[in-house]
Amino acid sequence: MKTRTIEPLWTAEDVSTFLGIPVSTLYQWRYRRIGPKASRVGRHLRYDPADVRAWLEEAADR
């Protein structure tokens, strides 16, 4: 039987490190709605790693 594990959500700092960009660029992309999908958890911004990877794949195909 296969067990699925849930990967922890990433912070903006985690995503910026993964993509190699400044956090400020990530916030600008969010404001312009061109960056990876993010969600608010309370007052904190969190990213699903699978969404970030999917966004990166899509961006690479353009």
Side-chain angles (χ1 to χ4, degrees), residues 1 4 7 9-10 12-14 20 26 28-29 32 36-37 39 50-51 53 57 61:
M1 184 170 168
R4 184 171 183 234
E7 195 171 2
L9 297 176
W10 288 353
E13 290 78 15
D14 295 332
L26 197 57
Q28 288 173 11
W29 287 353
R32 295 171 52 197
K37 181 182 165 189
S39 300
D51 289 341
R53 290 185 188 105
E57 287 288 324
D61 290 341

Side-chain angles (χ1 to χ4, degrees), residues 17-33:
T17 300
F18 177 76
L19 295 176
I21 60 167
V23 173
S24 60
T25 299
L26 197 57
Y27 286 130
Q28 288 173 11
W29 287 353
R30 179 168 164 76
Y31 177 77
R32 295 171 52 197
R33 298 176 190 247

